[in-house]
Amino acid sequence: MKILFVIDTFDTSNNGTSISAQRFAAELRKQGHEVKILCADEEPSEDKFLLKEYKVPLFNPLVKKHGFSFADVIGESMEVIKEAVDWADIVHCFMPFALEMRASAYAQEIGKPCTGAFHIQPENIWSSVGLGKVDWIQNLTYRNFREWHYYKFRHIHVPSEFMRGMLEERGYQAKIHVISNGIQDDFLAAGHRNTKEQRPKKSPEFAGKILIMMVGRLAGEKRQDVLINAVAQSRYASKIQLVLAGKGPLRDEYEKLGAQLPNPPKFVYVGTEELIGLLSQCDLYVHASDMESEAISCIEAFATGLVPVIANSTLSATPQFALDGRSLFLPGNPKDCARAIDYWLDHPSERRYMERLYAKAAKRYSLENSVRLFEQMLNEEIEDNKQEKLTITN
């Protein structure tokens, strides 16, 4: 089938939703589908319908630091949107913003099958301006998203049971499909090697050190500050080398905070192959984020055979990955994070045993399986759309 992905930003490696869209598009093409993207990317391609970028007054620098951009939907842009939707057999909208609203409204107008996705939490949006934990603002945003955009869909994709619950609690009426964003086979293969054979030797810069890693945007809601302060309180602080992978607006702040550590954090921004290489050398993975709709980076980490230490936040889906309470700590609490880190470092044999269990657990999140479920959702929408037209005709 001809599938149109509608997403403001597609070509970036610092935005989890965009990375998911890239991987789904590639896997769907492998399965024989034709996939094109309606977006505001700078790089043209025969697989894209390109729009100009809309620069948000005052806030555009902050938007860009988070690895995002918005599409301009005014004027001639509507002709591009119509051309893209007309081309497709089915339209899938990743975000609840102006581009997706316009595309889904036009799809509805002409009777084109269309599905939605809920990847971006209002809590994450508002955290950028320090309002991520103000309940009434979050509830209002969930409501506005529902009334302005998501009411149009019969089928909505969410990446976790946690997000399904968030939508159902707020009156979303569509059929909600829980489908992980999925991880590439390369991570699973690395986990098999690392747990069944032998981990690679640490590179010279990490030799003799305990390597701990976190992957994610350097932004307030991700709480890398908690991890930095936890390492400072660990009994193993003198031996720990912390690696923070990602970009974001708080890079300078975290560099200053990390200067207190015996071994200041290393900040990296790497591709898949290098990321797997780093994770394979690690002793432990920590995910300190307060807010996550899934946290694919955490799945990738334990898929390579790492025990994760996860913030047990009520605003995050990530605690679902913990196989037992030893991998959880109180959110926003460096002391409790240090306790969890020290437990696993104190018990290497238990850690090695759990590494194998975590690598095995990751198999259920394979990209191939996720795309299969995604195809089922698209086919269900196509059939529902046909039945609706028959009902109207009769």
Side-chain angles (χ1 to χ4, degrees), residues 121 159-163 166 221-222 285-299 302 307-332 336 354 358 361 364-365:
Q121 291 173 269
S160 62
E161 287 289 348
F162 165 79
M163 286 307 302
M166 296 291 273
E221 70 274 15
K222 300 299 182 183
Y285 179 84
V286 178
H287 205 84
S289 179
D290 282 341
M291 303 163 187
E292 294 283 7
S293 60
E294 184 179 36
I296 203 71
S297 58
C298 185
I299 307 176
F302 68 75
V307 171
V309 172
I310 300 166
N312 194 16
S313 171
T314 57
L315 297 176
S316 173
T318 319
Q320 70 179 317
F321 303 133
L323 296 182
D324 61 48
R326 294 174 297 175
S327 280
L328 297 172
F329 69 92
L330 296 172
D336 201 48
M354 292 304 296
Y358 273 105
R364 75 186 71 167
Y365 301 105

Side-chain angles (χ1 to χ4, degrees), residues 154-155 379-388:
R154 282 179 286 253
H155 300 273
N379 285 321
E380 194 171 338
E381 164 59 21
I382 289 171
E383 287 303 312
D384 287 348
N385 182 265
K386 287 179 182 177
Q387 289 302 317
E388 181 183 60

Side-chain angles (χ1 to χ4, degrees), residues 4 6 38 49 78-91 102-104 106-108 110 112-114:
L4 179 69
V6 184
L38 175 61
F49 295 94
M78 197 60 213
E79 294 306 312
V80 179
I81 293 171
K82 287 182 177 180
E83 179 188 0
V85 174
D86 287 341
W87 167 85
D89 293 324
I90 187 165
V91 177
R102 290 289 182 93
S104 58
Y106 178 64
Q108 186 178 47
I110 66 172
K112 183 82 68 173
C114 189

Side-chain angles (χ1 to χ4, degrees), residues 5 16-17 20-21 24 92-95 114-120 150 153-161 163-164 167 172 174-182 293-294 296 367 369-371 373-375 377-378:
F5 279 3
T17 303
S20 176
F24 270 51
H92 181 67
C93 298
F94 279 81
M95 295 291 193
C114 189
T115 56
F118 205 111
H119 290 283
I120 186 165
Y150 288 102
F153 302 115
R154 282 179 286 253
H155 300 273
I156 298 174
H157 165 211
V158 297
S160 62
E161 287 289 348
M163 286 307 302
R164 191 216 297 262
L167 298 192
Y172 283 64
K175 181 176 179 179
I176 299 174
H177 299 254
V178 179
I179 306 169
S180 170
N181 286 316
S293 60
E294 184 179 36
I296 203 71
L367 180 60
N369 184 57
S370 293
V371 170
L373 294 172
F374 183 75
E375 285 179 290
M377 181 187 75
L378 298 185

Side-chain angles (χ1 to χ4, degrees), residues 338-355:
R339 173 202 56 76
I341 289 171
D342 286 353
Y343 173 84
W344 289 115
L345 297 180
D346 284 342
H347 300 86
S349 60
E350 289 183 33
R351 190 173 80 244
R352 284 192 292 272
Y353 173 72
M354 292 304 296
E355 286 172 349

Side-chain angles (χ1 to χ4, degrees), residues 34 51 187 209 213 254 394:
E34 194 174 351
L51 298 167
F187 291 93
K209 294 179 180 176
M213 193 168 179
Y254 289 156
N394 294 331

Side-chain angles (χ1 to χ4, degrees), residues 67-335:
F68 200 79
S69 60
F70 292 101
D72 190 334
V73 298
I74 299 172
E76 296 178 359
S77 296
M78 197 60 213
E79 294 306 312
V80 179
I81 293 171
K82 287 182 177 180
E83 179 188 0
V85 174
D86 287 341
W87 167 85
D89 293 324
I90 187 165
V91 177
H92 181 67
C93 298
F94 279 81
M95 295 291 193
F97 302 133
L99 170 60
E100 291 80 4
M101 289 180 187
R102 290 289 182 93
S104 58
Y106 178 64
Q108 186 178 47
E109 178 186 327
I110 66 172
K112 183 82 68 173
C114 189
T115 56
F118 205 111
H119 290 283
I120 186 165
Q121 291 173 269
E123 292 86 350
N124 271 315
I125 298 171
W126 288 106
S127 287
S128 301
V129 289
L131 299 173
K133 295 184 179 180
V134 181
D135 287 344
W136 72 266
I137 291 179
Q138 314 316 320
N139 289 330
L140 178 63
T141 306
Y142 275 107
R143 189 190 73 183
N144 288 343
F145 282 169
R146 184 190 69 221
E147 294 183 358
W148 296 347
H149 182 55
Y150 288 102
Y151 76 91
K152 296 191 284 285
F153 302 115
R154 282 179 286 253
H155 300 273
I156 298 174
H157 165 211
V158 297
S160 62
E161 287 289 348
F162 165 79
M163 286 307 302
R164 191 216 297 262
M166 296 291 273
L167 298 192
E168 289 179 343
E169 286 173 14
R170 290 163 175 82
Y172 283 64
Q173 296 299 309
K175 181 176 179 179
I176 299 174
H177 299 254
V178 179
I179 306 169
S180 170
N181 286 316
I183 57 171
Q184 295 167 295
D185 287 344
D186 292 346
F187 291 93
L188 296 169
H192 181 82
R193 289 193 304 271
N194 294 339
T195 59
K196 301 293 184 182
E197 300 168 17
Q198 189 175 9
R199 285 190 176 274
K201 288 185 178 180
K202 291 178 181 175
S203 58
E205 65 177 323
F206 301 133
K209 294 179 180 176
I210 297 169
L211 193 58
I212 294 178
M213 193 168 179
M214 178 174 170
V215 181
R217 281 182 300 109
L218 304 176
E221 70 274 15
K222 300 299 182 183
R223 300 310 305 268
Q224 284 91 346
D225 60 309
V226 171
L227 175 53
I228 292 169
N229 288 323
V231 170
Q233 297 180 44
S234 168
R235 294 194 305 276
Y236 296 87
S238 63
K239 296 180 179 180
I240 292 174
Q241 176 61 65
L242 180 60
V243 176
L244 299 175
K247 290 182 178 179
L250 297 185
R251 165 73 182 262
D252 292 343
E253 181 177 323
Y254 289 156
E255 282 186 339
K256 291 176 184 176
L257 182 63
Q260 66 175 304
L261 301 180
N263 303 299
K266 292 186 181 294
F267 294 83
V268 299
Y269 187 66
V270 296
T272 298
E273 187 176 344
E274 294 169 284
L275 176 60
I276 291 172
L278 282 170
L279 290 169
S280 294
Q281 296 180 65
C282 281
D283 298 285
L284 209 58
Y285 179 84
V286 178
H287 205 84
S289 179
D290 282 341
M291 303 163 187
E292 294 283 7
S293 60
E294 184 179 36
I296 203 71
S297 58
C298 185
I299 307 176
E300 291 173 342
F302 68 75
T304 66
L306 284 175
V307 171
V309 172
I310 300 166
N312 194 16
S313 171
T314 57
L315 297 176
S316 173
T318 319
Q320 70 179 317
F321 303 133
L323 296 182
D324 61 48
R326 294 174 297 175
S327 280
L328 297 172
F329 69 92
L330 296 172
N333 190 318
K335 183 178 180 181

